[in-house]
Amino acid sequence: MIKLSRPLGNEKHQARYYLGSCANLKKRFQQHLQGSGSAFTRAAIERGIEFKIVYVWKTSSKQEARQLEIQLKRYKNHAQLLKRVQNAKTNSIQTR
């Protein structure tokens, strides 16, 4: 989970978190930092918004990672998801 230093968006909708899955976190984060990652992080870079990784879920396969990403995105409110994870003090969320 990536957190932006300030919200990105307009008056109607603002986002501060990004969720994605990858096989190589270090490489993927470098892509985000260089502007060749997601459209979300490219937009943040264009606006001078800094970002950092605030949480990582580890999975045993790429397929499991993608399923977890989809499950987590269903929360819609990533700030509440992060708070819930931090309160649970866990390194992973169990998939159903």
Side-chain angles (χ1 to χ4, degrees), residues 38-92:
S38 68
F40 183 81
T41 54
R42 278 194 307 275
I45 289 170
E46 289 169 4
R47 289 163 180 78
I49 301 172
E50 296 178 355
F51 51 87
K52 64 182 179 179
I53 296 173
V54 292
Y55 201 82
V56 175
W57 290 266
K58 294 181 182 180
T59 60
S60 57
S61 69
K62 190 173 182 176
Q63 180 182 5
E64 186 181 334
R66 183 68 179 123
Q67 290 172 343
L68 180 59
E69 176 188 352
I70 291 166
Q71 178 186 353
L72 294 173
K73 285 182 174 178
R74 287 188 186 132
Y75 279 90
K76 300 290 184 198
N77 187 326
H78 296 137
Q80 286 184 1
L81 171 62
L82 182 59
K83 189 181 295 184
R84 180 182 232 179
V85 169
Q86 289 172 335
N87 288 342
K89 294 186 181 176
T90 181
N91 288 330
S92 64

